[in-house]
Structure formats: structure tokens, C-alpha cells
Amino acid sequence: MPVSETMAMRLRRAYMTMHRYAQQHFASFGVTADQYVLLSLLAEQDEIRQQDLAARAYSDPNTIAAMLSLLEEKKLLRRKRDKSDGRAKLVCLTALGHRLHEKLIRSVEPIHAEMERAVGADRQALFASLWQIESTLANLQLKSSVDQ
Amino acid sequence: MPVSETMAMRLRRAYMTMHRYAQQHFASFGVTADQYVLLSLLAEQDEIRQQDLAARAYSDPNTIAAMLSLLEEKKLLRRKRDKSDGRAKLVCLTALGHRLHEKLIRSVEPIHAEMERAVGADRQALFASLWQIESTLANLQLKSSVDQ
DNA sequence: CGCAACTAATACGTAGACGTACTAATGTTA
DNA sequence: TAACATTAGTACGTCTACGTATTAGTTGCG
């Protein structure tokens, strides 16, 4: 089978197209698509540890730390030591960060709408398949590492 | 809606899980998941321009150039000037590259099988939805740039 | 209590995504 | 043919993904 017709490449194309589109969209606000995800997660839950943020953003602690440094320089968030655990830091949005997030969340509504419209009634089937892929491969990974 | 339940994050999780799994898999062969894609494309069509390679890998010329440099250092491929167009370079696998690709393609069969099994009968519906997302967002991008 | 195992964050390195600027070759058109 | 726009590839910078190593704080246990 041609590479371009494999499930892997189809998934890549869908994800990359979405990511590129989002990247371009958010550029006019001076943030990246991934930074928007972080801001949204922080708006959803304040005072969150970097580890938790990494898990929710489906990223990793190293990447999150780098992204937070950039967002902190831009005064969109701050980090304070967790009093109950001196190793951890709690991240929260600044007022500026909240205001930006409000603007951003309004700006993405049309995009979400377009994506929903694109998949239409197959939405639930798509979600089920995506979840199947995710859970199957995540478990494979787990299994082989537990085998050691 | 919680960020984690958006279509965008579901798509991200599926793609990133697959990519991480592939990354780990190919690490034992000394290549990355994305390098495997390039090797496969070259095995599919020899003497291909970097631009075409970028399009087929759904990447971009800058990234491809960097990746090709690494693969060229590893003697897996070489680039020669295109006689019919002095700007272009034609990329092709070395014998070493072909041999490695043969090994790699055998090693990924179980992964493709697992992914097919994971989505099962919903395979065609999934492909249709992924294509809907891709084409919808790609066209949005096109439209707004043509509007300028 | 004290020390070993674990954990959160950081530091640093490599790879990939992609923007912008540049060079060299090609095409176009007056 | 000369001036000009396009195009292929390179160079370089920023951001993200993620591996490995290190530091500092926490937990568990003899």
C-alpha cells in the first residue's frame, strides 16, 4: 500500500492540517496553537502543577516547562512554589492571561464549528476510532515496558 | 466543553500516541518515525525532488532538507543535481538505505495490523472523517489567503 | 531517626515544524 | 536579449517533542 494511503499518514495529514490552520489563526494574536491549549487548560483549572498540565496537554514536562517560560516572560501567567510540596510549582494565569484567553476562546468558535460541520453525523464514530487508536497503542507501549 | 473533550485534543492524542509509539519502535533501528516515512517514500519512488518529497511526507522543504542531511550523513541516501533543472536535487536511496528500509518495513507490519484491528469495521468511516477534517481546514486556509 | 527510593522541576541536547531571508537557476516577457 | 518574476534549495531563528542527567524536596522503611 502506498505510504500516503496508510492510516498513519491519513492521521498525520488530518492532525497537521488542523495544527497548521490553528497556528496561522493564533499568530495574529501573538501566540501559538499549543500555547493556546495551555492557556485554556489554565483557564479551566487554576493553580495546577506542571506535571498535571503536561498530562492534560498530552505533552511532557520538559516541553511544558519551556512553554511556560515563554508565556511567563509575556506576563500571561506566573509560577509560585507549592507550599504543600516544595518541589512543585503551581501555575496560574495573570489578569492579562485571562483577558487574552477570553479573546482567543471567542476567536476559535468558528473553527470548532467548521470541524464539527466537517465530520457531521460521524462525530461519535470518529471519536470512538480515535480513542481505539490511542488506547490500543498506549497499551502496547505499556505492555512492552512492563515486560522488562 | 473541557479542552480534553474537543475534537482537536482527541485528534492530537491519537496522533501523538501513534507518533510516540512509532518513535520508540524505530529507535531500536537507529532512525526516527519521520525518517522512516522518508525512507519509505524514497523506496516508493526513486530520484525524487526535495519539494515533491516534502509534499508527499506532508512536511515542508525546510524540514525535509534538514532530515535529508542527517540521512545522507548516515549513508542511507544521496542527492545529485537534476540535469534538467540545475536548481533541483534528486534524492535516492543507497544500497544501505534500501536494506534498512526492507528491515523497517517488515518490522512495522504488526503495528499496522494493530491499528487496523483497533478501528476494525469503522476504518472507512474514520478515513472519510479524517479526510473531511483535512480538506475542510485546508480549503479554509486557501480561501483566506486568496482573499488578500 | 536516617538513609534509600521516588518525584517535580530544570538543564541540555537532538530532531522536527515552519517562518523569513538569501542564492542560484529557470521562465517570462517586453 | 535584457530585465523581471518564479522556483529549488540553503541558512538561520523560534517553538515544540522528548531523551538523559541533575538538583532539590518528599516519602517510605528499617
Side-chain angles (χ1 to χ4, degrees), chain B residues 103-116:
Chain B
K103 272 207 308 187
L104 294 176
I105 204 168
R106 275 192 295 276
S107 79
V108 290
E109 271 169 28
I111 303 179
H112 281 138
E114 270 301 308
M115 290 182 68
E116 295 290 344

Side-chain angles (χ1 to χ4, degrees), chain A residues 1-14 118-119 122 125-126 129-130 133, chain B residues 112 115-116 119-135:
Chain A
M1 177 163 37
V3 176
S4 63
E5 291 176 21
T6 58
M7 193 186 309
M9 283 304 286
R10 291 173 194 267
L11 187 52
R12 171 180 170 86
R13 282 197 300 269
V119 304
D122 296 334
L126 170 65
S129 289
L130 292 177
I133 294 171
Chain B
H112 281 138
M115 290 182 68
E116 295 290 344
V119 304
D122 297 334
R123 176 192 154 93
Q124 288 310 317
L126 169 65
F127 287 5
S129 289
L130 291 177
W131 169 246
Q132 280 303 314
I133 294 171
E134 180 186 340
S135 57

